[in-house]
Amino acid sequence: MSITAAVPQADGRAQRIPLSYNQQFLRAFDKGETDGAFGHRHTLVCGWRVTGAVDTDALRRALDDMVERHEVLRTAVVGDDEGGHQVVHPPTPVALEVTDLPGTGVPRDLRAEEFLNDLDAAPYPVRELPHLRAFLGRFDATDAVLVLATHHTSTDAWSLQVLMRDLVAAYRARATGGTADLEEAVQYREFARYQQENADGGRTDLARAYWRERLAGAEITGIASDRPSRADLPSAYGVHRFVFDAGLSRKVVEFARAERCTPFMVLAAAYSVLLRRRTGTTDVVFPTFSSGRYEERFADSVGPFFNFVPIRVDTGDCTTLADVLARSREACVGAYRNEIPFARIAEDSPALLAPFADGLLAVVAFEVLQSAFPLDGEEADGPRFAEIRRRTLSQRVSSAIPDGGLWAMDVLPGGELAGSLKFDHNRFDEHTARELVEQFRHLLATLSSAPHTPLSHL
C-alpha cells in the first residue's frame, strides 16, 4: 500500500501524492532523535567562496525565489499510523544570517573552512520551514563565504548543486532589478509518482531477478566498532578529513584511465580489499549512492533522489589486486545497469540488512562525490562563486547520517584526491578512523603502482 499525502490543487480538489521510496528509506533508518520524522542533525551543508561585492537584498530575494521554485523546500514529512505523509506549505522567507569574519590570525581559506564546519555542526529542526538556511560570512567587501544548509528530507548532494546553480542565476537577475528566466522545475512530487507508477513492470522485473541472483546468500559487510551500539545514546557524529598527495592522486587517475575504469572502480577495489582485511570475509558487499535520477527530466529537480546501491565484490578466488579490480569493475557495471530503488532490492534479499541490527557492527557506505555544476553567468559582472571542495579540517561534531558511517571521496579540479570519513564517536575512536584511512591509502598506492601484487603479500 502506498503512503500518500493530500496536496490541494488550484481547483480545490485533493491530489494524492506518494511518499517516495527514498523518504521511506530515511524514515526506516532514523533513530527518532526528535519528534519529527528525521533527526535535527540530519542535514546537508555546503559552502562557496565568493569573490566580489554581494548585494544582500538581492541575495535574500533570490533565496526566496528558490523556495518558490522548488516546493520540496517547503514540504513537511509528518508521522502517522500509516508510516507518514507529506504536506506542501506556502512559501515563507529564507533566513539569511550575515556575519563578519576575522581576517587576521589564520589564513582566510582556513577560516572559511572553520566557518563551514561550525555551521555543519549546528542543529536545524526539521519542523522549521523552509528547509533552507543561508549564511554569509564576510572577510571584507569583496571576499566572503556563502553557506547553504538544508535538511536531508528535502535534498541530496546533487540537489545542492542544482539549488546553487539556480540561486546564482536568480541572484544575478535580482541584482539588476529583474527575475531569472529559468525553465519550469519538475517537482519532487512528480518523481514520487513516477516511482509508484514504475514500481513493477518488465524492466523492474528483470532488474529484481538480477539482484536476487547477484545477492543470493549475501549480507552487507559490517566493520567491527570499538564499542557496541547503545539504544540510550543519541548518535554523536564527527568527520575525519584528508587529502592524498598529488603524486598518488595523479597515479590513481592515470591508472584508472589505463585500465579503462572509472576512478570509482579503482577506489572501490581498494575499499573492498580494506574490508576483506579488516573483517576477514572474502565476499564483500558495501553500499554506495547514485544520484537516483532515473530519467533526464529529473536532472534539474531538487529533492532526496539519492539511491542506496549495493556493490558485491566476491574476492574468494582472487589472487592479486588486479583480480579484485576486475571484480570491482564487473560489480559496478552490473549494479548501475540494473539500478532500481533499494527498497525493492531489500524486499527480495532481507538478509542483506542483517548487520544493521548487529550492535557490534557498523555499515560504512562508500561513495565518490559528483562533480560541481558550472554556475551560469560566470562571465557576467558581479561576484564569482567557487565551491569549497578541498577541505582538510576534521571536526568533532558534524551533521549526522541515519546509521553507520559514510566514506566520501572527491577528485578535485587540480587532480588531488580528497576524502572524508564520517563516524559516530559513541561507536568509534578517532584513531580508528585515521587507521582505516591510512590502510586505504597504502592499498590504493599499491594497486595503482603494482596491481599484480599478490593479496597474500599485503
Side-chain angles (χ1 to χ4, degrees):
M1 178 178 179
S2 345
I3 303 173
T4 60
V7 178
Q9 299 187 90
D11 60 6
R13 292 177 301 166
Q15 183 184 26
R16 303 299 292 180
I17 307 296
L19 201 65
S20 73
Y21 284 121
N22 312 56
Q23 291 166 317
Q24 294 179 52
F25 173 80
L26 287 172
R27 286 182 58 82
F29 283 90
D30 180 62
K31 292 186 176 181
E33 294 173 358
T34 71
D35 60 346
F38 303 90
H40 61 287
R41 293 189 183 276
H42 196 45
T43 56
L44 292 173
V45 181
C46 287
W48 287 261
R49 194 67 177 271
V50 187
T51 305
V54 177
D55 181 338
T56 54
D57 288 336
L59 180 57
R60 284 190 174 92
R61 291 195 295 271
L63 287 163
D64 292 343
D65 289 341
M66 293 304 97
V67 177
E68 173 72 29
R69 175 172 172 76
H70 300 290
E71 69 177 26
V72 71
L73 296 174
R74 46 191 165 88
T75 298
V77 176
V78 182
D80 59 28
D81 293 340
E82 296 183 1
H85 64 277
Q86 52 183 326
V87 178
V88 180
H89 292 268
T92 51
V94 175
L96 171 62
E97 183 178 309
V98 181
T99 306
D100 289 330
L101 300 177
T104 59
V106 297
R108 288 188 175 185
D109 286 349
L110 194 62
R111 182 67 189 95
E113 275 198 70
E114 292 175 344
F115 181 63
L116 179 52
N117 282 2
D118 289 345
L119 294 171
D120 182 54
Y124 302 119
V126 68
R127 290 193 179 277
E128 293 184 8
L129 296 177
H131 297 302
L132 173 63
R133 299 184 182 193
F135 306 85
L136 185 68
R138 296 191 293 199
F139 292 109
D140 57 41
T142 59
D143 188 5
V145 181
L146 175 64
V147 176
L148 299 183
T150 65
H151 201 278
H152 214 337
T153 186
S154 64
T155 55
D156 54 17
W158 182 289
S159 293
L160 275 175
Q161 298 292 329
V162 173
L163 189 59
M164 186 60 184
R165 185 199 59 197
D166 290 355
L167 177 63
V168 170
Y171 169 81
R172 297 196 188 285
R174 288 294 190 179
T176 56
T179 56
D181 183 20
L182 296 172
E183 293 185 7
E184 184 177 354
V186 178
Q187 300 300 333
Y188 187 73
R189 67 164 80 179
E190 296 183 40
F191 173 74
R193 185 181 300 108
Y194 163 85
Q195 278 197 325
Q196 181 180 14
E197 292 173 350
N198 292 273
D200 298 297
R203 181 194 173 281
T204 301
D205 291 343
L206 288 174
R208 292 183 74 168
Y210 166 84
W211 286 112
R212 282 194 295 269
E213 179 179 356
R214 180 74 185 179
L215 299 174
E219 62 180 47
I220 294 175
T221 304
I223 296 177
S225 57
D226 296 319
R227 289 169 293 281
S229 175
R230 285 178 50 183
D232 61 325
L233 285 179
S235 61
Y237 281 96
V239 181
H240 171 61
R241 292 194 174 90
F242 54 93
V243 178
F244 291 150
D245 65 84
L248 173 58
S249 300
R250 182 174 58 255
K251 184 65 178 177
V252 169
V253 173
E254 291 174 351
F255 176 68
R257 187 181 302 115
E259 294 295 318
R260 297 185 178 181
C261 293
T262 64
F264 175 74
M265 293 174 183
V266 175
L267 296 167
Y271 187 62
S272 297
V273 178
L274 175 65
L275 289 178
R276 168 181 161 136
R277 296 185 64 195
R278 193 80 187 186
T279 66
T281 182
T282 59
D283 190 3
V284 172
V285 183
F286 65 88
T288 190
F289 294 96
S290 75
S291 70
R293 288 160 164 79
Y294 305 112
E295 292 194 345
E296 187 177 354
R297 63 189 171 116
F298 300 121
D300 296 325
S301 300
V302 171
F305 287 87
F306 72 94
N307 191 31
F308 210 55
V309 182
I311 305 293
R312 185 179 190 178
V313 183
D314 188 350
T315 69
D317 59 353
C318 293
T319 58
T320 68
L321 288 172
D323 294 337
V324 179
L325 177 59
R327 292 291 171 83
S328 172
R329 182 197 296 113
E330 175 193 17
C332 291
V333 170
Y336 289 116
R337 280 181 176 172
N338 293 278
E339 184 185 351
I340 54 175
F342 181 74
R344 310 312 304 274
I345 296 173
E347 288 174 9
D348 297 332
S349 305
L352 193 67
L353 301 178
F356 283 106
D358 188 330
L360 298 176
L361 298 177
V363 172
V364 181
F366 186 87
E367 66 171 341
V368 172
L369 300 176
Q370 287 101 10
S371 300
F373 283 26
L375 300 179
D376 293 341
E378 283 295 278
E379 72 287 349
D381 293 334
R384 302 292 187 267
F385 301 83
E387 186 177 359
I388 301 173
R389 291 172 61 186
R390 192 183 193 280
R391 300 174 66 180
T392 60
L393 293 182
S394 299
Q395 58 191 103
R396 174 73 188 186
V397 180
S398 76
S399 57
I401 56 177
D403 198 8
L406 176 60
W407 191 315
M409 298 295 299
D410 191 8
V411 182
L412 301 180
E416 288 180 304
L417 285 172
S420 64
L421 177 53
K422 182 168 290 193
F423 62 96
D424 187 347
H425 284 284
N426 291 330
R427 305 287 307 281
F428 289 97
D429 295 324
E430 174 80 17
H431 170 77
T432 302
R434 292 179 179 275
E435 182 183 71
L436 286 168
V437 171
E438 178 56 28
Q439 290 174 354
F440 177 75
R441 187 200 64 77
H442 174 72
L443 289 168
L444 195 58
T446 306
L447 171 61
S448 58
S449 60
H452 296 292
T453 300
L455 295 176
S456 58
H457 290 183
L458 294 175

